[in-house]
């Protein structure tokens, strides 16, 4: 992943404008060196060139985007520009936007237009962001894959034979492909960090409640997916504003999102190299994380190995609870509608049909056990680093790295606990395999230290020795 500034491309061809960062665009707009209309046209051209291969988008609306870009242009010309005016963006399909149906990735849901913008979409629109499209996801968001019964199969821009990850599948692919600087995903077990890792982009799973969402659920968050840490920080200035529709959101804090400097000397960094359960760690992933740990130590941080804490009982309990939750949604459907669901998801959810109340309660309790274990294991460190996933991107047609609904979560051992513990965690690119596939480094902070996670991510983005041009599709 290239982390060099693309500012030298800002005034190039319309194609090059699609690769500008949000921060660069705000500067160029303020100087009247480029127009939001030109940038939006460039991103539309990029989408039209790449999308037949990537299939990352849903409800792509170039006419509406150009209309909003013209309005943004007028605000810049009249001195009335908003905070993020004219920056192109996509929004994950399960985050409602007014007038667009929310199929949740499955052909089993009726296509009813959303009555209003969900909080994240509303905040960006209020700040002048140009929304180009929604991004695809798998059925009910329950896969780390771009496989869906409703959307076409999404693919990874680095290798079209590979999966972008999920469930924020289209968002990861769109960010890597240059479909604008800003993208929003959601994450309940790794659904921002996994596609960010496998697509070589930056993804932040914020502290639970930091970004208001609707509907809310245990561990579920929305967060930015971008090519640079600074663009994610820019998005956080908008996304974190309060919304009464989220009764589980944190009290609003005006945090210094754009103050990304950090002194690495003396920081206590834990290294969780093993997840404790699941797939064996790929040697190339291990080597990439080890290089990062050595680099932080060389920069003055105190780096110490942290043992794994996730157990089989924890992961299987969470699996039971999520299966039963999914079956509760699927059971009332007609046989016809149930038959439209991705077979992998249907088989997995049916595993919750005959669970007893005691088993479901025990599963939910294991989510709390996981929460306590995560905080207990990490509290003595300022930050913890780890792999994001034990493997790199896998074949596009598979629902998971194992592709077995009886072993659905063997790849989320590094990520899921930090949803349960409310801790902020990010994926930042840390290099590539010999085959050219991206590898993500997970950076985990203490509860509510979202700014700290962004700062350490920015430091690594600047330190990372393996930087590559963005993929051309």
């Amino acid at each position: 992943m290239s982390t060099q500034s693309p500012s030298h491309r800002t005034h190039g061809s319309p194609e090059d404008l699609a690769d500008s960062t949000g921060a660069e665009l705000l500067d160029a707009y303020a100087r009247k060196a480029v127009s939001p209309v030109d940038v939006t046209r460039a991103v539309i051209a990029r989408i039209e060139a790449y999308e037949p291969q990537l299939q990352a988008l849903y409800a792509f609306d170039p006419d509406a985007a150009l209309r909003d870009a013209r309005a943004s242009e007028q605000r810049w010309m009249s001195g009335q520009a908003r905070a993020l005016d004219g920056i192109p963006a996509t929004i994950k399909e399960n985050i409602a936007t007014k007038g667009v149906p929310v199929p949740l990735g499955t052909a089993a849901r009726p296509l009813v237009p959303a009555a209003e913008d969900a909080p994240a979409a509303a905040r960006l629109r209020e700040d002048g962001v140009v929304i180009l499209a929604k991004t695809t996801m798998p059925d009910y968001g329950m896969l780390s894959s771009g496989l869906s019964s409703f959307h076409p199969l999404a693919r990874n821009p680095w290798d079209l034979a590979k999966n972008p990850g999920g469930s924020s599948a289209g968002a990861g692919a769109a960010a890597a492909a240059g479909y604008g600087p800003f993208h929003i995903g959601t994450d309940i077990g790794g659904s921002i960090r996994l596609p960010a890792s496998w697509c070589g982009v930056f993804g932040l799973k914020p502290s639970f409640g930091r970004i208001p969402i609707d509907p809310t659920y245990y561990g579920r968050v929305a967060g930015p997916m971008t090519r640079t840490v600074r663009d994610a920080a820019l998005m956080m200035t908008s996304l974190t504003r309060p919304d009464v529709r989220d009764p589980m959101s944190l009290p609003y804090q005006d945090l210094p999102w754009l103050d990304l400097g950090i002194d690495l000397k003396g920081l206590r960094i834990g290294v969780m190299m093993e997840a404790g359960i699941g797939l064996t760690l790929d040697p190339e992933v291990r080597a990439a994380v080890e290089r990062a740990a050595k680099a932080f130590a060389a920069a003055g941080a105190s780096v110490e190995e942290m043992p794994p804490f996730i157990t089989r009982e924890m992961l299987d309990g969470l699996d039971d609870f999520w299966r039963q939750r999914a079956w509760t949604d699927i059971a009332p459907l007609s046989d016809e509608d149930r038959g439209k669901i991705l077979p992998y998801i249907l088989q997995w959810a049916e595993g919750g049909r005959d669970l007893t109340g005691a088993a479901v309660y025990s599963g939910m309790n294991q989510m709390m056990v996981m929460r306590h274990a995560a905080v207990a294991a990490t509290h003595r460190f300022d930050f913890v680093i780890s792999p994001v996933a034990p493997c790199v991107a896998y074949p596009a047609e598979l629902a998971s790295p194992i592709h077995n609904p009886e072993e659905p979560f063997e790849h989320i051992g590094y990520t899921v606990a930090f949803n349960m513990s409310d801790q902020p965690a990010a994926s930042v690119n840390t290099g590539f395999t010999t085959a050219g596939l991206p590898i993500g480094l997970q950076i985990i902070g203490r509860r509510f230290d979202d700014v700290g996670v962004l700062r350490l991510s920015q430091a690594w983005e600047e330190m990372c020795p393996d930087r590559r041009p963005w993929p051309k599709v």
Side-chain angles (χ1 to χ4, degrees):
M1 183 180 76
S2 173
T3 54
Q4 66 184 6
S5 168
S7 58
H8 63 282
R9 299 193 300 262
T10 299
H11 307 302
S13 67
E15 173 77 6
D16 293 335
L17 288 174
D19 290 315
S20 298
T21 69
E24 290 169 342
L25 290 178
L26 290 179
D27 175 67
Y29 294 159
R31 293 184 288 106
K32 297 183 172 52
V34 70
S35 161
V37 176
D38 293 334
V39 173
T40 301
R41 284 179 175 149
V43 175
I44 290 170
R46 173 69 58 82
I47 290 169
E48 290 174 344
Y50 287 8
E51 188 57 9
Q53 291 78 40
L54 293 184
Q55 302 286 3
L57 301 185
Y58 162 66
F60 175 43
D61 193 343
D63 291 338
L66 284 169
R67 178 200 65 210
D68 291 345
R70 293 186 187 101
S72 173
E73 180 182 63
Q74 289 302 311
R75 288 192 294 271
W76 279 105
M77 295 300 291
S78 63
Q80 298 177 316
R82 301 172 186 173
L84 303 176
D85 225 327
I87 300 177
T90 72
I91 296 177
K92 188 176 177 181
E93 182 250 283
N94 62 340
I95 299 173
T97 51
K98 186 176 181 179
V100 178
V102 185
L104 298 183
T106 180
R109 276 175 60 92
L111 297 180
V112 179
E116 58 184 353
D117 286 342
R123 297 297 87 76
L124 292 187
R125 210 186 296 272
E126 289 163 3
D127 282 346
V129 167
V130 174
I131 299 172
L132 285 135
K134 310 299 284 291
T135 49
T136 60
M137 61 183 283
D139 290 55
Y140 301 103
M142 290 311 300
L143 295 178
S144 301
S145 169
L147 194 62
S148 164
S149 64
F150 179 79
H151 303 296
L153 177 64
R155 295 181 180 271
N156 193 315
W158 294 95
D159 181 344
L160 294 176
K162 301 299 184 183
N163 211 294
S167 62
S168 303
Y179 288 10
F182 287 177
H183 308 272
I184 307 178
T186 62
D187 192 317
I188 199 172
S191 288
I192 286 173
R193 289 156 290 164
L194 291 165
S197 173
W198 293 333
C199 291
V201 302
F202 179 72
L204 174 66
K205 181 207 78 67
S207 298
F208 181 77
R210 179 70 71 198
I211 294 175
I213 59 171
D214 180 34
T216 189
Y217 200 79
Y218 306 111
R220 181 174 179 261
V221 301
M225 300 177 71
T226 57
R227 283 182 166 187
T228 68
V229 176
R230 182 161 292 276
D231 272 3
L234 271 174
M235 292 183 73
M236 292 298 284
T237 66
S238 177
L239 294 172
T240 55
R241 291 203 303 274
D243 194 297
V244 297
R245 290 173 288 178
D246 184 351
M248 299 176 78
S249 59
L250 296 172
Y252 174 71
Q253 291 178 277
D254 185 13
L255 296 172
W257 295 111
L258 301 179
D259 180 4
L260 295 177
I262 189 170
D263 185 357
L264 299 179
K265 292 180 181 178
L267 283 182
R268 293 169 297 171
I269 297 178
V271 182
M272 188 177 74
M273 194 61 73
E274 302 294 339
I277 44 86
L279 292 171
T280 301
L281 183 61
D282 182 292
E284 290 190 278
V285 176
R286 179 187 298 276
V289 175
E290 287 175 346
R291 285 194 295 270
K294 290 176 182 177
F296 282 130
S302 172
V303 177
E304 178 185 334
E305 182 179 349
M306 191 190 93
F309 60 89
I310 296 289
T311 66
R312 173 55 56 189
E313 187 177 17
M314 291 177 196
L315 195 65
D316 286 353
L318 177 138
D319 183 19
D320 283 346
F321 181 77
W322 281 1
R323 284 179 193 251
Q324 201 278 337
R325 169 185 171 236
W327 182 248
T328 299
D329 292 334
I330 291 170
L333 299 178
S334 66
D335 289 344
E336 179 183 0
D337 284 342
R338 201 177 299 138
K340 297 175 183 176
I341 296 170
L342 197 70
Y344 180 104
I345 290 293
L346 183 59
Q347 183 179 339
W348 170 74
E350 284 178 334
R353 174 167 49 189
D354 297 324
L355 290 173
T356 65
V360 174
Y361 175 78
S362 176
M364 186 174 183
N365 189 57
Q366 284 300 315
M367 293 162 62
M368 295 300 294
V369 172
M370 190 184 296
R371 174 191 186 94
H372 286 277
V375 174
T378 60
H379 76 91
R380 61 194 179 92
F381 300 107
D382 297 307
F383 301 96
V384 170
I385 64 172
S386 79
V388 175
C391 58
V392 293
Y394 55 94
E397 296 79 10
L398 302 187
S400 75
I402 295 179
H403 199 68
N404 180 356
E406 298 311 311
E407 297 181 286
F409 299 137
E410 301 303 297
H411 59 291
I412 67 171
Y414 291 102
T415 54
V416 67
F418 304 111
N419 292 81
M420 300 304 108
S421 67
D422 301 348
Q423 291 171 258
S427 174
V428 60
N429 182 259
T430 192
F432 296 80
T433 66
T434 54
L437 294 175
I439 299 170
L441 174 72
Q442 184 171 218
I443 295 177
I444 303 124
R446 291 174 172 166
R447 295 178 71 220
F448 315 128
D449 188 19
D450 304 73
V451 172
V453 168
L454 286 171
R455 287 173 175 167
L456 194 61
S457 298
Q458 173 74 17
W460 178 248
E461 185 176 85
E462 295 170 355
M463 294 165 61
C464 182
D466 192 354
R467 308 181 184 190
R468 304 190 184 187
W470 292 104
K472 302 292 185 183
V473 177

